[in-house]
Amino acid sequence: MKTIIGIDLGGTNVRVAKVTDSGEVLQELKSPSYGLEGPEKVVPNIISLIKQIDGYKDCIGVGIGVPGPVDTVNKVMKLSSNLTGFTDYPMAKMIEEATGLPTFLDNDANCAGLAEAIIGAGKLYPIVYYTTVSTGIGGALIVNGKLVSGKSGYAGEVGNLIVDPYREPFNNLNPGASESEASGRAITRKGQAIFGDKIESAKDVFDLYVQGDEEAKKLVDQVTTDLAVMYSHIAHIVDPHIFVIGGGVMKSKDIWLPIMQEKFKKLVHSGMRDVIFTEAECSEPGILGAAMLPISNGL
Amino acid sequence: MKTIIGIDLGGTNVRVAKVTDSGEVLQELKSPSYGLEGPEKVVPNIISLIKQIDGYKDCIGVGIGVPGPVDTVNKVMKLSSNLTGFTDYPMAKMIEEATGLPTFLDNDANCAGLAEAIIGAGKLYPIVYYTTVSTGIGGALIVNGKLVSGKSGYAGEVGNLIVDPYREPFNNLNPGASESEASGRAITRKGQAIFGDKIESAKDVFDLYVQGDEEAKKLVDQVTTDLAVMYSHIAHIVDPHIFVIGGGVMKSKDIWLPIMQEKFKKLVHSGMRDVIFTEAECSEPGILGAAMLPISNGL
């Protein structure tokens, strides 16, 4: 049995865990991350937490999930809006030097996808495409248990996929980007534009749909079409064995997922229609996926 | 030095070659394929050709490129419009039994992409996305020298990617599918709709563009936008290190490729804009890529 140190580093908190290669958490520590106080404060705190893990030196390596794109070759973040000063900062190298453990870095969506591919809903399948339909939309490609992060860590940036080029752009994304049209935030925004403040989340829109509201039906029809186009893009480019979907919008999956799948089938070749769509099942995909990074990298 | 039998099986001809692992063709035989006469005629002919190759028994394996989607696990074609009776036919198994050599099957676009990734324009890069912009549009994903063919061989079916959902559908593809909008056949069709019979190929449209024709400018503007959207889809989903582009439309690359690349840069995140677009360089990608299949599969 291998053990690995998995680290889920966010702007507010950091969690450090000792995890087995089958995904069992043996020990977990949590602390403020001091994410806005700069790496000089954040990194020594992480190193101190690692050293508090029993037998940390016997672990095969350290994996860190971070919120933002990562250059996985040079092991640095390329953009760090929630972690001040981390762009190009050699955190992984410093942790390697302080602990003697090989250290790997990837973004949190990639980590969540890796967890699902190795120990979660995708574990039996060679090609897994993970997507999270949450406040935003992100994703990850995992082939034979290894993350395909891309040239600069942008594989899985499916929130910027164009589903309809004639829509208005939002938040520096493309016009008609999937995240602007079908994320939790987008569904809420569109719901509020129709129903006003009684819509507080995507779930409120789906509840109105269930009650038979005609406007809600039109909105769900548009959102499911947009998601079907997004998944058809992914299917034609990598033809995964399974789509694993996480994120809060999956709370309403019984409403939208079957409609979306029917539309998806009309947008792909007949031999592609039986691809599986299933819900993510890891309870802590961030930290488990971070712990799987050394394994994904061949350790 | 490893040697491999590579086979390029088309509806009209079949070529069988002995190839080194660095892509040198040592011996090559060509024959009619008898593609419309059924596998009972086609397969014994191929086996006979293999046995005419000097020292075929010392090769590490056989790779076959075929025109259509392939189930690479069961090594059978899933659709064979140019090869009568080949859907689910156990050609690979029969060749294995007759020659004693492990035999692998994949579609011809995947083979061409594999050749480019291992010995062609993409050979220095971990993630290669090959596309052919020819009569149709196809593609292939190669990660660390291994083809990612997909669940049912549909990875790389980028000709069916929607670039604009409001266009008219053609040939059972999606409305606004890239192949219907920006392939050689599509550019010719659109050119003929404007200029009539004086357009015989995509090149004629590009020539009119160079002469400053306003209608040709509008058409090239639309085609380059559509291709930029297609490549932005691929980039956000797999973030390749390099796009290798083959196919006849590349004859006019000096005209359209720089325009397309500028549009692409506006459709992706800033860290993705430096991805390389380059022309395919293998002279015989079909047979060379077929020969690389056993290597891609771990031999």
Side-chain angles (χ1 to χ4, degrees), chain A residues 129 151 164 166 239 274, chain B residues 129 151 164 166 237 239 274:
Chain A
Y129 213 100
K151 177 178 74 71
D164 179 347
Y166 300 104
D239 188 22
D274 59 347
Chain B
Y129 213 99
K151 176 178 76 68
D164 178 346
Y166 300 103
I237 289 168
D239 188 22
D274 60 346

Side-chain angles (χ1 to χ4, degrees), chain B residues 275-294:
Chain B
V275 60
I276 300 163
F277 288 86
T278 198
E279 189 171 15
E281 58 185 41
C282 288
S283 57
E284 296 189 282
I287 202 154
L288 291 177
M292 297 299 136
L293 286 175

Side-chain angles (χ1 to χ4, degrees), chain A residues 87-100:
Chain A
T87 302
D88 288 321
Y89 191 82
M91 168 168 62
K93 188 158 164 274
M94 292 168 73
I95 291 173
E96 276 186 352
E97 283 170 3
T99 64

Side-chain angles (χ1 to χ4, degrees), chain A residues 118-142:
Chain A
I118 297 188
I119 55 178
K123 70 183 170 194
L124 298 175
Y125 299 92
I127 306 176
V128 176
Y129 213 100
Y130 170 80
T131 51
T132 171
V133 185
S134 181
T135 309
I137 290 181
L141 169 61
I142 304 94

Side-chain angles (χ1 to χ4, degrees), chain A residues 127 129 148 150-157 160-162 164 166 174 233 236-239 241 267 269 272 274, chain B residues 127 129 148 150-157 160-162 164 166 174 233 236-239 241 267 269 272 274:
Chain A
I127 306 176
Y129 213 100
V148 179
K151 177 178 74 71
S152 310
Y154 289 97
E157 286 290 318
N160 202 23
L161 282 172
I162 297 170
D164 179 347
Y166 300 104
N174 282 323
H233 290 341
H236 288 110
I237 289 168
V238 304
D239 188 22
H241 294 75
L267 298 175
H269 295 303
M272 306 166 71
D274 59 347
Chain B
I127 307 176
Y129 213 99
V148 179
K151 176 178 76 68
S152 310
Y154 288 96
E157 285 291 317
N160 202 22
L161 283 172
I162 296 170
D164 178 346
Y166 300 103
N174 282 321
H233 291 342
H236 288 110
I237 289 168
V238 304
D239 188 22
H241 294 75
L267 298 174
H269 296 305
M272 305 166 73
D274 60 346

Side-chain angles (χ1 to χ4, degrees), chain B residues 16 20 22 25 33 41 51 58 79 107 109 119 121 123 159 202 205 209 224 245-246 250 264 280 286:
Chain B
V16 177
T20 72
S22 56
V25 177
S33 63
K41 174 104 183 179
K51 291 186 174 176
D58 298 326
L79 198 75
N107 76 63
I119 55 176
K123 69 183 171 193
V205 172
Y209 172 90
T224 50
I245 312 178
M250 282 299 275
F264 169 86

Side-chain angles (χ1 to χ4, degrees), chain B residues 171-193:
Chain B
N171 298 327
N172 296 317
L173 295 176
N174 282 321
S178 66
E179 177 166 304
S180 306
E181 300 300 328
S183 65
R185 186 187 282 148
I187 297 168
T188 306
R189 184 192 79 230
K190 293 180 179 192
Q192 287 172 340

